[in-house]
Amino acid sequence: MPHSTSRRGLLFGAAAVSAGAVLTGCTSNESKDDDSASENNQAVADSKPGKEVTIGFAGPQADHGWLNAINDNAKERAEKYKDVTLEATEGSNDTAAQIGQVETLINKKVDVLVILPADGKALTQVGLKAMKAGIPVVNLDRIFASAQAYRCWIGGDNYGMGLNAGHYIGEKLKGKKGARVVELAGLDNLELTKQRTKGFDDALKNYPNIEKVARQAAEFTVESGQAKMAQLLQAQKNIDALWNHDDDQGVGALRAIKQAGRDDFLMVGGAGALSAFQEIKQDRGVLKATVLYPPTMAASAIDLARALGQGKGVGGMAEYEIPASITLYSAVVDKDNVDQYMSTGFK
């Protein structure tokens, strides 16, 4: 499908803005009065067909529960729209292979691209290539090194995860003198892990009665979570709270906790796995809450891509164009609100 020069200019001329928003709808670029609004204004989630849009979707290999949920959310969202055709690649953690997959989608002249790069820096050039070809890119979660490589970025708030986990634990322990907490982090070579830890540490500064006495980095796997948690428990005979960065490795952490016969502290997880929600709902163990890093962002990315392909904006906002950046909120899910989020839990 040909793309005009004016469209290419629009992609590179977009001003960078930030909006922590929930996508509730999109509006037509045409001005309208009250009588025509119901006819011309379709919400993003509205399945009423509009202009047909072909969306290319490229993500990494689904070797983790959250990444698998990303793929599922994107595909399920696209299937809800009769006007959307999804061209999905086979996920890969090999950057060269993923670059090749994106280039194939560019050559197919898809209308919009949604890319969750295995490595944002490594895939920046292919993002730029798509934008220069007049194909707008929705950059999902792992951000490209240049803002010119995407039209819109949507992703989670890693710093906010740590911040909200820290405040939740802080409020639970604020009446306890000499409270001791430990942290089970993810991969330390990842920036997201550093941001989650920084947010957690910053939150704890508000609670002078709490000391973080230990930290272990795991690898986002069940096995690593179990092994590293066992080490933490062996070294720390007296703790009041644990923050675990990832619910997948949290499955292993809970195994280690049960094997050690420990129930003397509260645990907060991260991401939003179904198993975590179920454990929280039962309220029989140490896991009391988890902080979301919602894979539903992939469904929202499809909404954004559809809006871009149809020349629409986001409902509830005055602008005719979708934002350039959308940061999702890291909500805390505990027994009081877990039912609300149960349907979003990933396996």
Side-chain angles (χ1 to χ4, degrees):
M1 183 178 295
H3 302 281
S4 68
T5 302
S6 59
R7 180 180 180 187
R8 188 180 302 116
L10 177 62
L11 296 179
F12 280 89
V17 298
S18 177
V22 175
L23 300 180
T24 56
C26 62
T27 59
S28 169
N29 282 335
E30 297 176 0
S31 61
K32 49 193 173 287
D33 54 31
D34 292 340
D35 292 333
S36 63
S38 61
E39 297 177 5
N40 296 333
N41 181 24
Q42 291 186 36
V44 166
D46 191 343
S47 60
K48 185 176 179 180
K51 177 185 175 182
E52 292 188 0
V53 179
T54 299
I55 300 172
F57 176 77
Q61 183 179 346
D63 55 1
H64 181 276
W66 186 85
L67 290 172
N68 187 62
I70 283 286
N71 291 341
D72 288 346
N73 271 272
K75 292 173 183 177
E76 289 170 8
R77 193 66 153 197
E79 288 173 358
K80 292 185 177 182
Y81 298 124
K82 293 181 179 179
D83 51 20
V84 169
T85 299
L86 189 70
E87 290 270 359
T89 66
E90 183 177 349
S92 176
N93 288 331
D94 182 276
T95 55
Q98 194 179 27
I99 288 169
Q101 291 169 347
V102 174
E103 288 179 336
T104 297
L105 292 171
I106 293 171
N107 292 334
K108 286 185 176 180
K109 294 183 171 58
V110 296
D111 297 304
V112 190
L113 275 167
V114 175
I115 306 173
L116 198 166
D119 183 320
K121 184 177 180 180
L123 266 80
T124 297
Q125 287 302 315
V126 79
L128 286 166
K129 183 176 181 179
M131 292 287 285
K132 289 176 181 176
I135 302 174
V137 174
V138 178
N139 182 193
L140 181 57
D141 198 44
R142 298 173 188 170
I143 196 164
F144 292 136
S146 170
Q148 296 184 75
Y150 59 89
R151 166 57 183 83
C152 175
W153 174 86
I154 179 170
D157 184 356
N158 288 293
Y159 177 83
M161 280 186 77
L163 194 70
N164 291 346
H167 279 299
Y168 181 86
I169 288 173
E171 289 301 305
K172 293 296 182 182
L173 299 179
K174 65 181 180 180
K176 183 177 178 61
K177 293 182 180 179
R180 296 161 58 88
V181 304
V182 296
E183 180 182 7
L184 186 63
L187 284 163
D188 263 345
N189 64 329
L190 297 179
E191 182 62 26
L192 65 89
T193 299
K194 298 172 185 176
Q195 287 297 312
R196 291 178 188 185
T197 290
K198 187 177 189 314
F200 187 61
D201 289 346
D202 284 353
L204 292 184
K205 291 175 183 177
N206 295 282
Y207 305 94
N209 64 306
I210 298 175
E211 179 186 3
K212 187 171 79 170
V213 296
R215 179 184 184 277
Q216 279 275 13
E219 298 173 1
F220 292 129
T221 67
V222 174
E223 294 75 19
S224 65
Q226 184 171 354
K228 296 298 184 179
M229 191 68 232
Q231 292 176 20
L232 274 174
L233 293 173
Q234 188 173 12
Q236 303 296 328
K237 303 300 183 183
N238 178 28
I239 59 175
D240 298 291
L242 156 72
W243 183 47
N244 162 55
H245 285 207
D246 176 72
D247 286 333
D248 272 17
Q249 70 184 25
V251 173
L254 285 170
R255 287 178 186 171
I257 291 166
K258 290 175 183 178
Q259 287 173 359
R262 298 284 293 270
D263 61 359
D264 54 321
F265 58 90
L266 69 92
M267 173 179 173
V268 176
L274 180 60
S275 61
F277 290 162
Q278 292 169 338
E279 187 84 9
I280 291 165
K281 184 176 176 64
Q282 291 173 3
D283 195 23
R284 297 174 183 172
V286 298
L287 184 60
K288 301 301 181 184
T290 190
V291 187
L292 296 187
Y293 198 83
T296 50
M297 66 177 70
S300 295
I302 296 298
D303 290 340
L304 288 163
R306 179 175 181 253
L308 280 169
Q310 295 180 344
K312 297 180 178 179
V314 177
M317 299 182 69
E319 291 75 21
Y320 290 131
E321 300 292 337
I322 69 168
S325 179
I326 300 173
T327 303
L328 304 181
Y329 182 67
S330 296
V332 176
V333 177
D334 61 11
K335 66 179 181 180
D336 294 332
N337 63 353
V338 66
D339 287 337
Q340 175 185 344
Y341 293 96
M342 193 68 74
S343 64
T344 70
F346 60 88
K347 297 180 181 179

